[in-house]
Amino acid sequence: MRLEAITWERLTEALAERVLKTEPADGGSWLRVAFDGAPAARPGEQAEALAEALRVRGRSVLVVGTGGFLRPASLRYEYGREDPEAYYSGWFDTGALWREVFGPLDPGGTGRVLPDLWDPATDRATRSTPSELPPGGVLVVHGPLLLGHWFPFDLTVHLRLSPGALRRRTDEDERWTLPAFERYEEEVIPAEAADVLVRADDPRHPAWGGLS
């Protein structure tokens, strides 16, 4: 795919306009958008930027990070604290995401989404109150390894880092996760699976493949 230079501001505006023209694939009342990327690509920042652009356009938005849906430490660290296979398949509670985030937005759902479930610092439930997303609202989920779970996203954005950029921009104490992202590239091929591909090797100068 040929990529063209773009600014983050223009990218956000283009995505916001795309969201306004997109209908939920399941015929329901809520649109669901993904920002997929390694922590080093900062998908949360771009998710928040899109949310703000949509709010300016009159849409209700709820941003949810998968970091709030980690599994308990006893499960994450069952095979050690730095096991890339566990990080790939066992750190994030995909069942809870289905139940607490996507389920309430099914057609006829309540719209009451739990913004987070587990606090990794205390290793306890957050006991957060569900947030009510009104009909017509947009859910924006961000985090790593998001694609390949059959989550019902209506628009997916993958922030790609080359292997070299990923290594350079990943904190040294988190580089043990790099094999998990190598496996993700091989098995899921997120650059092809996503609706929108953004190359973010240089955080100041992104490039993208446009909107289909």
Side-chain angles (χ1 to χ4, degrees), residues 20-101:
L20 294 181
K21 298 174 182 177
T22 301
E23 296 291 333
D26 62 4
S29 301
W30 299 276
L31 202 71
R32 295 143 302 190
V33 179
F35 271 90
D36 172 64
R42 301 175 182 173
E45 292 183 11
Q46 303 314 315
E48 292 289 354
L50 176 62
E52 184 57 30
L54 290 171
R55 292 182 184 118
V56 168
R57 290 165 168 79
R59 298 292 289 270
S60 296
V61 186
L62 177 63
V63 179
V64 173
T66 58
F69 286 86
L70 294 177
R71 302 175 78 194
S74 60
L75 299 176
R76 300 200 310 275
Y77 302 143
E78 183 177 2
Y79 302 103
R81 301 184 71 88
E82 297 185 356
D83 185 282
E85 293 300 311
Y87 180 77
Y88 183 82
S89 60
W91 268 48
F92 298 95
D93 193 340
T94 56
L97 285 165
W98 274 105
R99 182 179 66 252
E100 305 292 352
V101 177

Side-chain angles (χ1 to χ4, degrees), residues 22-197:
T22 301
E23 296 291 333
D26 62 4
S29 301
W30 299 276
L31 202 71
R32 295 143 302 190
V33 179
F35 271 90
D36 172 64
R42 301 175 182 173
E45 292 183 11
Q46 303 314 315
E48 292 289 354
L50 176 62
E52 184 57 30
L54 290 171
R55 292 182 184 118
V56 168
R57 290 165 168 79
R59 298 292 289 270
S60 296
V61 186
L62 177 63
V63 179
V64 173
T66 58
F69 286 86
L70 294 177
R71 302 175 78 194
S74 60
L75 299 176
R76 300 200 310 275
Y77 302 143
E78 183 177 2
Y79 302 103
R81 301 184 71 88
E82 297 185 356
D83 185 282
E85 293 300 311
Y87 180 77
Y88 183 82
S89 60
W91 268 48
F92 298 95
D93 193 340
T94 56
L97 285 165
W98 274 105
R99 182 179 66 252
E100 305 292 352
V101 177
F102 296 107
L105 303 184
D106 283 342
T110 64
R112 291 174 57 80
V113 174
L114 194 65
D116 51 59
L117 179 65
W118 201 258
D119 184 343
T122 63
D123 200 34
R124 296 177 181 271
T126 57
R127 302 186 185 280
S128 295
T129 301
S131 298
E132 185 136 6
L133 191 61
V138 181
L139 170 73
V140 182
V141 179
H142 64 84
L145 313 173
L146 265 178
L147 307 180
H149 296 290
W150 300 101
F151 289 143
F153 291 117
D154 299 293
L155 180 66
T156 54
V157 182
H158 175 61
L159 304 180
R160 186 181 187 279
L161 296 177
S162 67
L166 179 60
R167 174 169 288 277
R168 288 193 305 272
R169 292 176 56 185
T170 298
D171 292 340
E172 186 172 351
D173 61 354
E174 295 181 353
R175 287 181 180 170
W176 62 270
T177 64
L178 296 180
F181 291 104
E182 292 176 9
R183 179 179 171 186
Y184 187 56
E185 288 286 338
E186 294 173 358
E187 295 185 358
V188 178
I189 317 177
E192 297 181 8
D195 297 312
V196 180
L197 173 63

Side-chain angles (χ1 to χ4, degrees), residues 1-5 191 196-199 207-211:
M1 176 185 293
R2 181 183 178 186
L3 301 180
E4 298 180 353
V196 180
L197 173 63
V198 181
R199 186 181 65 203
W208 75 326
L211 293 169

